[in-house]
Structures are given as C-alpha cells and as structure tokens.
Amino acid sequence: MKELQLIISAYYKNKSSNIKSALATVVKVDGSAYRRPGARMLVSESGQITGAISGGCLEGDALRKAQAVIFQNKSMLVTYDTTDEDDQKFGIGLGCNGIIQVLIEPLDYDDSSNPVLLLELASRKRVNSKILTVFSLIHSRSLQIGTVLFRQDEQEILSANLVDTALIKKLQNIVNQYDKNYSSVIELEGGQSLHVFVEVIKPSLQLILFGAGNDTIPLAQMAHILGWNLIVIDGRKQYATQERFPAASQIIVAPAIDVVKQLYIDANTVVLFMTHNFEYEVLVLSQLLSYDLPYIGILGPKKKTQKLFERLNSQGIVVNESNIFGPTGLDIGAEGSEEIALSILAEIKAVMSKRKPFSLREKSGPIHD
C-alpha cells in the first residue's frame, strides 16, 4: 500500500506539471520473480520512476518501453523470460528464473477511469476492491485492452474505451462470481486468447496503538514506512501529540472508558497495548473483546498478560486467547525500543499473512505461493 500511495502522489505531481506518464503493472508471473502480479511502476516522459516491478533488473528496459508507450499513446505487453539464456541479462542479477508479463499503459489525465485514479478510489475506503485488467499473450504486440473494470461494494466503473458488449458481460460475470480474498489470473473462454488479471486490493493495515511513550515512537515511524494507517491513543495529552507522532492519521486523548466507541474497527485492524498502565489496558481490552480482531498485542512479560486475563475472568468476561499475543513480538533477541518495534511489526505481518515465521532458507519451493 505504501508503494501505491507514492505512485498516486507522483501521478498528481506529473499532472500538475503537465508531464505525461505511463503505468507499468506486473499482470502475470510463471516461475520465480522478485515481484508478484500487482507490482507497479509509474514512469514519466522525463524518465522519473516511482515504484518497482522487480528488484532493479527490469526497470531500465521497462523505462525505455514506457517512454515509447507515452510517445505512441499505445499500451504494450512486455514479456521478460529470465528462463531463456538470451534474456538472462534481465534476471541474472537476482537469480530470477521465471516469465514476467508487464502491461504498460499510457495515462490520460482527462480520463476519470484511468488506472491510477481507479487505484486511488480503491484506497479511499476500508473495504476490498477489485480491478480487472485484460491482456493478450498471443497478440502481445497489438494494442492491449488494459485496465477496464473497477468494483467496490455496489460501485462499478467501466472504462469508456471498452465497447465490446460481449466482453463487458464476461468481465461482469467474473467480478460478480469472484469470491477469493487474493488476486489471480483467469483465461477467458471463447477463443479470444485473452487473460484477465483479477486484482483484489485490500485496505492498508490499520494499527491502533495504545500508548504514546517514548518507546512507541520508533514503532510508529516503522509503521509509517510500511504504509500502515496509524492511530495513536493515550490518556496523557502531553504525550499523544502530532509533533511526537507526525505520521499518525489520528491521535486520540481520552480515558479508557470512552476511547473504543470512537474507533472504526475492521478486518484489517490490529491493536497494540504499550501504555505501561495495567488498569487502562484492562478496561480497554474488556471492550475490545467483542470485536473480531485478528491481532491484539500486549507489551510486557507473560505474567502481565495472565494477570489481565485473571482480572477479566473475575469480572465474568470470557477471554478468547487465540488472537491475543502477550508478550507481543517474535523471539529475535530484541533489545531496545527499535529492535522491539521490529519484532512486534514482524509478528503482526506474519499473523496478517497467516504465516508461521521461519527462515526462508528452510522453505522448499518458491518464496511466493
């Protein structure tokens, strides 16, 4: 999501300066590659790049092709085959061994349904969105249909350039029936030799951080680097300030009894307790237990978490411990607030990705599923 935010920002900067742009998107990968479908790179006619479609080995060639797309005002599908010895110059720096399909589309600033504006729409609400992109592998040198359909809740946007009613109906059927929580590529039936990249765009992870002490500042900074939406809460107004937490989207100063009712909590929201105030955390946790949160982290020793449970149990409150992580963080030998922040954020990412952390060298098969 952070990369997407940077691309949107660069798009508007180029538009305000009347600099033409193109968007390169990885739409299909077979085998091993540094980035997966959905990776993007915005290219300006002057050669400025925002985002990435690989670890650096494809960007130079994609830049030149994107500038050609801008000049010709014609979309292009580029195939990088790093399994082919003739193409190894593209992947040898990373040891890649895959086939990467990159769609490059010129951006029309007057088109309200251009790909970047659809991505911006997807990022505005805290709900999943779907974006459909159509491309042809067989006719890769021909004009590509490109990004044509956006769906978020009941809102649907079709590209004005899409006039094939039969294709529109097929795409609408796909988006109506697609119930997966992840992106995938579908081959269209009917002899058109077309593929559809169905991209599921989830809202950014929202981190509700209870505690505004000095030890939370590195964690807030790292969460910002990751592009997470940060809400900082504390009962002490001298600690919970915009000056101390400039990256926070919201800062709430409130007593424990009043704070939860002010929050919007969804499936991509996690909570972290770092208040060093036992009574505050007991009261807030008792209210949060009714929400289906995927992660609640509690800073401090295990005895503290057990004591919290005991207090709540004594009040007749049943605690489901499956989503509560106390002590919070992975066991990486962390010392100091920066390293502790690293261990906590890594655990949150693992939980949200439904992964059991281990060294990648122990994994058989490719890094990405």
Side-chain angles (χ1 to χ4, degrees):
M1 186 58 73
K2 180 62 178 289
E3 185 175 69
L4 179 57
Q5 295 165 0
L6 293 173
I7 285 173
I8 293 170
S9 176
Y11 167 87
Y12 279 109
K13 184 178 179 180
N14 291 346
K15 180 181 178 181
S16 65
S17 301
N18 199 28
I19 298 173
K20 295 179 180 179
S21 304
L23 185 69
T25 305
V26 177
V27 292
K28 192 174 187 294
V29 171
D30 296 298
S32 174
Y34 187 78
R35 299 295 304 272
R36 307 304 294 169
R40 289 183 170 85
M41 179 176 82
L42 185 79
V43 178
S44 73
E45 61 181 325
S46 59
Q48 294 297 313
I49 291 177
T50 305
I53 56 171
S54 75
C57 52
L58 305 182
E59 277 72 8
D61 185 77
L63 165 62
R64 291 186 290 273
K65 288 185 169 61
Q67 289 176 316
V69 164
I70 293 170
F71 178 74
Q72 298 172 7
N73 196 33
K74 178 182 175 183
S75 59
M76 174 190 303
L77 185 72
V78 184
T79 301
Y80 295 104
D81 186 353
T82 60
T83 65
D84 186 337
E85 290 184 1
D86 291 336
D87 257 6
Q88 277 295 308
K89 61 180 181 290
F90 293 121
I92 196 168
L94 293 171
C96 295
N97 189 32
I99 302 173
I100 304 118
Q101 309 289 348
V102 178
L103 176 68
I104 307 176
E105 301 173 271
L107 297 174
D108 180 358
Y109 293 131
D110 294 325
D111 180 3
S112 62
S113 63
N114 79 46
V116 174
L117 293 183
L118 295 184
L119 291 169
E120 184 183 27
L121 275 178
S123 67
R124 285 181 180 172
K125 289 185 180 179
R126 294 201 57 79
V127 295
N128 285 0
S129 304
K130 299 182 188 119
I131 293 180
L132 271 58
T133 302
V134 183
F135 59 97
S136 173
L137 295 178
I138 293 179
H139 304 293
S140 60
R141 295 186 180 275
S142 302
L143 178 68
Q144 298 294 312
I145 294 173
T147 305
V148 289
L149 191 150
F150 170 87
R151 174 73 65 82
Q152 185 185 77
D153 290 335
E154 300 303 316
Q155 182 184 18
E156 180 178 283
I157 298 176
L158 277 167
S159 170
N161 298 323
L162 187 61
V163 295
D164 186 333
T165 55
L167 179 58
I168 291 173
K169 186 175 181 180
K170 287 182 180 181
L171 296 177
Q172 289 175 326
N173 287 337
I174 288 173
V175 80
N176 288 335
Q177 297 170 13
Y178 196 86
D179 58 0
K180 298 174 184 176
N181 202 32
Y182 54 87
S183 306
S184 60
V185 177
I186 297 172
E187 185 172 2
L188 278 183
E189 298 178 355
Q192 292 177 289
S193 302
L194 295 176
H195 285 75
V196 182
F197 173 39
V198 184
E199 184 176 13
V200 177
I201 300 179
K202 302 175 184 178
S204 61
L205 189 145
Q206 178 170 266
L207 171 58
I208 301 176
L209 173 60
F210 287 92
N214 290 342
D215 61 335
T216 66
I217 292 175
L219 185 137
Q221 292 169 339
M222 292 183 190
H224 173 63
I225 291 172
L226 293 170
W228 296 2
N229 181 51
L230 176 67
I231 299 174
V232 177
I233 300 171
D234 203 299
R236 304 164 295 180
K237 62 180 180 180
Q238 69 271 29
Y239 285 91
T241 67
Q242 203 71 54
E243 290 74 24
R244 284 167 58 81
F245 298 92
S249 65
Q250 187 178 5
I251 293 178
I252 300 174
V253 179
I257 193 66
D258 296 327
V259 70
V260 173
K261 67 181 78 171
Q262 301 182 46
L263 300 174
Y264 175 79
I265 295 173
D266 58 26
N268 284 295
T269 298
V270 299
V271 168
L272 187 56
F273 287 106
M274 298 180 68
T275 68
H276 304 282
N277 185 328
F278 182 83
E279 297 300 331
Y280 191 100
E281 293 182 3
V282 166
L283 193 49
V284 173
L285 182 58
S286 67
Q287 300 170 69
L288 287 175
L289 290 175
S290 60
Y291 293 88
D292 189 21
L293 286 158
Y295 184 98
I296 299 175
I298 302 173
L299 183 71
K302 184 172 288 188
K303 285 185 178 180
K304 174 193 171 182
T305 301
Q306 292 172 341
K307 188 179 176 182
L308 281 168
F309 293 163
E310 290 168 4
R311 174 73 70 84
L312 293 171
N313 288 332
S314 70
Q315 297 172 0
I317 299 173
V318 178
V319 180
N320 177 6
E321 302 179 22
S322 62
N323 64 333
I324 298 178
F325 295 78
T328 180
L330 298 179
D331 182 10
I332 60 172
E335 295 285 349
S337 56
E338 289 82 8
E339 293 180 0
I340 291 170
L342 176 64
S343 81
I344 292 171
L345 297 177
E347 181 178 60
I348 292 173
K349 174 59 181 173
V351 170
M352 297 304 289
S353 299
K354 296 180 172 58
R355 298 295 179 93
K356 192 74 173 176
F358 61 90
S359 296
L360 285 173
R361 71 176 184 175
E362 307 298 331
K363 184 174 184 178
S364 59
I367 293 175
H368 303 287
D369 293 332

